[in-house]
Structures are given as C-alpha cells and as structure tokens.
C-alpha cells in the first residue's frame, strides 16, 4: 500500500533515469534598510559525480533499488523522527540509527508510525508548494516584481505578514494596504509624497503574492503545510541529518555541509566570493550571527525570524 506514491511518480520519473547534479542560483534579501541582496550558487548533488554510477551516491541514493530506508516518526506531520533504519538490500546488512539527543524507548517506538522512505518524504509538496512570505518576497524581488527603491520594503512587509494572522483574504488585503501606507506616511513622508504610485504598486504585488500562497479559509499556508526539501524553514533533511542519529557501529547521519551540495558562489553582488573549479566554499551566513549556524539547526531561528 505504501508504495503507491512511488509508483505514481515513477509512471513519469522512473528511478533508473538519472538526474544530473544541478547548479542552483538564488537571490536572497535581508530585511535591512537597503534590502541588501545576497546571492548563493550551489551545486546540488542529486546524483554522483560520474553519471555511469547511477544512484550509487548523492541525494537520490535513498531511492536506489538496493537501498531501503525506513523511519519512525514521532508526530503526524513526520516533523520529528524517532528512529531510522537502513537496509542494504544487496547484502542484507542493517543499520539502526537512534536519536542520541531525544531518546525513545522500544515501547514508545512500537506505537509510532513506521514508513518506508520514498519520493514524497522529500518531495512532499511537488505540486502545491505554499511559499512563506520570505520566499515569495525574495522570488518577486529577484524578478523585479517588487522594487528595490523603497527603503525598509522587506522589513515592513515581513513585519506585516509574520506578526499578524488574518481570518479572511479581505481582512489581509485591508491590513496590508493600511499598514504599508501608514508606515511610509509616518517614517518617510517625502518618499510617500513622491512615490505614491510605487508604494501602491508594491502593496498590490504583496497582496497578490499573499493570495497565491496563503489560504486563510482552508487554513493552508507555509507553516501548516511544511516543505521538507532543504532545512531552512522546516527541519527537512536535518530531521535525520543532524549528527545526532547514531547506529550500532557509531556511524552518524551526517550534516556535513558538503554532503548534499557545494557552495560555489556567495555574497553581495559587488563582493561575491567564488570557488575555483572543484572546490567548495565554507558557508558564510548573510548577516553576522557569530557562527551560530554551525551548532544550531537553521530552523531554530528561521522558523520565527520576525516574531
Ligand atoms: C503524469 C506525469 C508525472 C507524474 C505522475 C509526476 N510527475 Fe513530476 N514532473 C512531470 C513533468 C512533465 C515535469 C516537468 C518536466 C521536467 O522537469 O522533467 C515534472 C517535474 C518534476 C520535478 C521537478 C520540478 C522542478 O522544479 O524542476 C519534481 C521534483 C517532480 N516532478 C517530482 C515528482 C514526484 C515526487 C512525483 C510523485 C509524487 C511526480 N513528480 C509525479 C511529470 C510527472
Ligand atoms: C528518514 C531519514 C532521512 C532523511 C529525512 C533524509 N536522509 Fe539522507 N540519508 C539517510 C541515511 C540513513 C543515510 C545513510 C547514512 C550513511 O551511510 O552515513 C543518508 C545519506 C544521504 C546522503 C549520502 C548518500 C551517499 O552515500 O552518497 C545524501 C547526499 C543525503 N542523504 C541527502 C539527503 C537530503 C538532501 C535530504 C533531504 C531532502 C535527506 N538526505 C533526508 C537518512 C535520511
Ligand atoms: C532524500 C530526499 C529525496 C528523495 C527520497 C527523492 N528526491 Fe528527488 N530530489 C531531491 C532533491 C533535494 C532534489 C534537488 C532539488 C532542488 O533542490 O532543487 C531532487 C530533484 C529531483 C528532480 C528534479 C531533477 C532536476 O534535474 O531538476 C526530480 C524529477 C526528482 N527529484 C524526482 C524524484 C523521484 C521520482 C523520487 C522517488 C523515486 C525522488 N525524487 C526521491 C530529494 C529527494
Ligand atoms: C542532508 C543534505 C544537506 C545537508 C547535510 C546540508 N544541506 Fe543545505 N540544503 C540542502 C537542500 C536539499 C537544499 C535545497 C533546498 C531547496 O531546493 O529549496 C539546501 C539549501 C541550502 C541553502 C540555501 C538556502 C535555501 O534553502 O534556499 C544554504 C545556504 C545551505 N543549504 C547551507 C547549508 C549549510 C551551511 C550546511 C551545513 C551546516 C548544509 N546546508 C547542510 C541539503 C543539505
Ligand atoms: C541564530 C539564528 C540563526 C541561525 C541559527 C541561522 N540563521 Fe540564517 N538568518 C538569521 C537572521 C536573523 C537572518 C536575517 C533575516 C533578514 O534580514 O531578513 C538570516 C538570514 C539568512 C538568509 C538570507 C535571508 C533569506 O531571505 O532567507 C539565508 C540564506 C540564511 N539565513 C541561511 C541560513 C542557514 C543555511 C542556516 C543554517 C545552516 C542559518 N541561516 C542559520 C538567523 C539565523
């Protein structure tokens, strides 16, 4: 029964079809006065370096026909994982990884949901991704749908969208309109007078983006329908890859930053750090958080950046 999802995907994407490593470039914006741009280019290791190796390594290794990953989740959203089991179907060898930080007894584990990992454990939003305000804002700004010529534009938009919840789309629209207008009227009266058209256009764009991604009536949005690809706004890959799952032999499910991707470029557009050829860069956090990302899960801060 459980294999239905995988079979469905495989009608069109069969696992033997190899997906190459992919270079992904994205622009991010800080919510400071200038809405500072920060660019990151990463090589996603979807498959191994050499195509002939198929799914021998890399991200799609989990769905290699010789690999079976099972897991036990501690909550119905599968956001917290209690146990991971890897069976090498060729040799029959089994590794059982237990969480050494939050420990679960065997009796507890027996009562929880057991699953075989398949495509939708990572691609859990393949058709409808509810983007968070940070994401839809960044995507819109990087395609020039939102202007960079208003000071504080992201800061103010994030303040409105994260610190309020709206029962209906109408109430959201009204609030976005009035708060945004008031902010510029008060804080930047000259800009308010000279750039009324720009401000109204920005309001309209934010309202449209909100409507596409947040569904108050259905209670559906980024924070209810978590997306498990990545590890920034949800724990995603770090649900298992967090260095605290350890098997019988002492091996951990690693969160080494080069395991899944290599950072090739990062920085502001006028000060971009670039890796040469096969090298990768050590991650630099876009603003100074004193290296806290090395120990803390990204989601610890990123789940509530603006609250
Ligand atoms: C009816 C055929 C079909 C089925 C079934 C299907 N897909 Fe797709 N999928 C496509 C097509 C067509 C594309 C776009 C072409 C491409 O990029 O290969 C695509 C693209 C994708 C992409 C890439 C999107 C991107 O941003 O580049 C992912 C990931 C994906 N599908 C995952 C899945 C998963 C997971 C399932 C099962 C839950 C699934 N698909 C089921 C046809 C299908
Ligand atoms: C349910 C637990 C679980 C989740 C969730 C998970 N992984 Fe893994 N992953 C594993 C286990 C177990 C291994 C094998 C660990 C080992 O051998 O060191 C592994 C290994 C890997 C490897 C190394 C494969 C190789 O040998 O080259 C990559 C790359 C990887 N995972 C990427 C990801 C990415 C990307 C995500 C999120 C989209 C993810 N994983 C989510 C359990 C998980
Ligand atoms: C361990 C997590 C994980 C599992 C399991 C997984 N994928 Fe992926 N897949 C990824 C990640 C991560 C990417 C890279 C997407 C990105 O970050 O842009 C990816 C990329 C893809 C792409 C896009 C490739 C491209 O070149 O754009 C397709 C299609 C896809 N996966 C289909 C599948 C199908 C079908 C399955 C099940 C047979 C599957 N994936 C299982 C994590 C996973
Ligand atoms: C187990 C796999 C895995 C590990 C380990 C991992 N990442 Fe990622 N990371 C991903 C995936 C998958 C994405 C892409 C998400 C997407 O396609 O939106 C990603 C995205 C990112 C991004 C872009 C932010 C975003 O979501 O748009 C940054 C920056 C990043 N990772 C940094 C790191 C750092 C720093 C580490 C080490 C502490 C790390 N990663 C470890 C899988 C991993
Ligand atoms: C101690 C808290 C903290 C931790 C831990 C943390 N971040 Fe951040 N991050 C921030 C803050 C604060 C910002 C600035 C937000 C803004 O200005 O809009 C930020 C911004 C970012 C941005 C750019 C903003 C955007 O649009 O998304 C990226 C990318 C990012 N962080 C990646 C990561 C990654 C990857 C990790 C984990 C490896 C991580 N961060 C861990 C606090 C944190």
């Amino acid at each position: 029964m459980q294999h239905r999802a995988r079979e469905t995907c495989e009608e069109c994407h069969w696992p033997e079809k190899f997906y190459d490593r992919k270079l992904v470039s994205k622009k991010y914006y800080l919510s400071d006065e200038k809405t500072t741009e920060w660019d990151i280019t990463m090589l996603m290791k979807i498959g191994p370096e050499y195509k002939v190796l198929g799914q021998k390594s890399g991200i799609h290794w989990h769905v290699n026909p010789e690999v079976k990953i099972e897991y036990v989740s501690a909550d119905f959203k599968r956001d917290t994982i209690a146990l991971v089991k890897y069976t090498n179907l060729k040799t029959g060898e089994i590794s059982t990884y237990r969480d050494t930080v939050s420990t679960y007894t065997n009796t507890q584990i027996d009562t929880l949901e057991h699953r075989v990992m398949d495509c939708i454990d990572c691609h859990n939003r393949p058709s409808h991704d509810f983007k968070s305000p940070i994401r839809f804002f960044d995507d819109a700004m990087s395609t020039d749908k939102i202007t960079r010529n208003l000071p504080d534009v992201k800061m103010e938009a994030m303040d409105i969208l994260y610190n309020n919840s709206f029962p209906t789309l109408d109430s959201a629209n009204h609030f976005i309109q009035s708060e945004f207008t008031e902010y510029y009227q008060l804080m930047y009266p000259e800009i308010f007078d000279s750039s009324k058209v720009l401000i109204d256009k920005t309001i309209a764009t934010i309202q449209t983006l909100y409507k596409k991604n947040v569904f108050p009536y259905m209670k559906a949005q980024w924070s209810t329908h978590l997306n498990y690809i990545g590890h920034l706004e949800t724990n995603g890959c770090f649900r298992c890859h967090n260095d605290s799952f350890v098997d019988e032999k002492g091996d951990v499910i690693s969160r080494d930053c080069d395991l899944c991707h290599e950072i090739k470029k990062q920085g502001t557009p006028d000060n971009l750090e670039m890796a040469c050829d096969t090298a990768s860069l050590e991650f630099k956090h876009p603003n100074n958080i004193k290296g806290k990302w090395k120990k803390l899960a990204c989601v610890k801060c990123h789940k509530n950046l603006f609250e």
Side-chain angles (χ1 to χ4, degrees):
M1 199 173 91
Q2 226 230 273
H3 278 281
R4 285 211 15 238
R6 198 167 155 170
E7 277 156 17
T8 309
C9 312
E10 287 170 11
E11 279 170 22
C12 303
H13 309 276
W14 63 108
E16 285 73 23
K17 165 153 177 12
F18 178 72
Y19 291 99
D20 269 316
R21 295 182 161 201
K22 188 168 79 172
L23 212 52
V24 179
S25 297
K26 263 185 170 167
K27 295 178 192 229
Y28 302 85
Y29 299 89
L30 297 179
S31 33
D32 53 12
E33 188 192 337
K34 293 205 178 89
T35 319
T36 306
E37 177 180 330
W38 186 272
D39 300 343
I40 305 177
T41 296
M42 300 194 303
L43 182 68
M44 294 302 304
K45 297 177 169 177
I46 302 174
E49 187 171 3
Y50 297 100
K51 210 174 177 140
V52 291
L53 291 171
Q55 290 163 323
K56 280 276 178 268
S57 69
I59 297 169
H60 278 170
W61 167 86
H62 306 75
V63 287
N64 178 329
E66 289 169 9
V67 169
K68 179 158 100 173
I69 308 275
E70 293 162 276
Y71 71 88
V72 176
S73 50
D75 62 279
F76 80 99
K77 285 188 180 165
R78 302 175 185 149
D79 202 24
T80 307
I81 288 175
L83 183 110
V84 183
K85 193 162 126 190
Y86 157 44
T87 308
N88 181 328
L89 296 174
K90 213 167 151 201
T91 64
E93 199 185 329
I94 295 177
S95 310
T96 305
Y97 298 87
R98 289 178 177 271
D99 190 344
T100 49
V101 175
S102 316
T103 52
Y104 297 86
T105 63
N106 287 340
T107 328
Q108 281 172 314
I109 282 172
D110 287 344
T111 63
L112 299 170
E113 184 201 24
H114 290 238
R115 257 185 78 78
V116 177
M117 191 171 185
D118 67 29
C119 320
I120 62 160
D121 290 296
C122 299
H123 298 285
N124 67 325
R125 303 257 149 258
S127 54
H128 204 147
D129 184 14
F130 301 91
K131 285 187 188 156
S132 70
I134 299 186
R135 298 270 180 179
F136 66 64
F137 186 99
D138 284 4
D139 290 353
M141 186 165 263
S142 67
T143 48
D144 292 328
K145 291 193 186 101
I146 295 181
T147 175
R148 302 209 47 206
N149 296 332
L150 280 179
D152 303 349
V153 62
K154 185 173 181 184
M155 194 195 303
E156 180 54 14
M158 297 302 104
D159 186 40
I160 294 174
L161 298 176
Y162 281 97
N163 295 321
N164 300 283
S165 63
F166 307 106
T168 62
L169 205 52
D170 268 354
S171 59
N173 282 339
H174 279 118
F175 194 81
I176 294 169
Q177 162 84 43
S178 62
E179 285 292 302
F180 214 80
T181 309
E182 226 168 75
Y183 185 81
Y184 286 96
Q185 227 164 0
L186 244 116
M187 303 298 288
Y188 298 99
E190 297 100 83
I191 294 178
F192 182 76
D193 289 337
S194 63
S195 310
K196 190 81 181 67
V197 176
L198 197 58
I199 291 171
D200 285 341
K201 191 167 164 254
T202 306
I203 292 171
T205 307
I206 293 170
Q207 289 169 331
T208 307
L209 292 169
Y210 184 85
K211 187 166 106 185
K212 281 195 185 146
N213 290 286
V214 183
F215 300 84
Y217 178 68
M218 313 277 292
K219 296 202 183 340
Q221 60 177 32
W222 78 96
S223 57
T224 54
H225 291 60
L226 307 177
N227 183 341
Y228 288 137
I229 286 267
H231 48 79
L232 204 55
E233 299 183 319
T234 73
N235 228 353
C237 312
F238 287 7
R239 289 174 298 159
C240 297
H241 289 268
N242 52 28
D243 285 343
S244 70
F245 278 98
V246 182
D247 76 357
E248 306 84 343
K249 294 177 301 234
D251 289 339
V252 300
I253 308 180
S254 167
R255 70 159 225 160
D256 182 307
C257 303
D258 282 347
L259 181 73
C260 308
H261 47 63
E262 287 171 8
I263 300 178
K264 297 296 187 188
K265 291 184 201 163
Q266 62 183 346
T268 54
D270 55 354
N271 189 15
L272 209 52
E273 191 190 352
M274 287 188 228
C276 44
D277 195 33
T278 54
S280 64
L281 301 168
E282 190 191 358
F283 176 59
K284 202 154 114 197
H285 193 270
N287 62 359
N288 186 2
I289 55 165
K290 306 195 184 105
K292 283 188 186 152
W293 59 270
K294 289 182 185 166
K295 285 258 155 57
L296 277 182
C298 317
V299 75
K300 275 263 184 317
C301 299
H302 278 262
K303 209 159 92 185
N304 302 308
L305 272 187
F306 302 98
E307 282 163 18

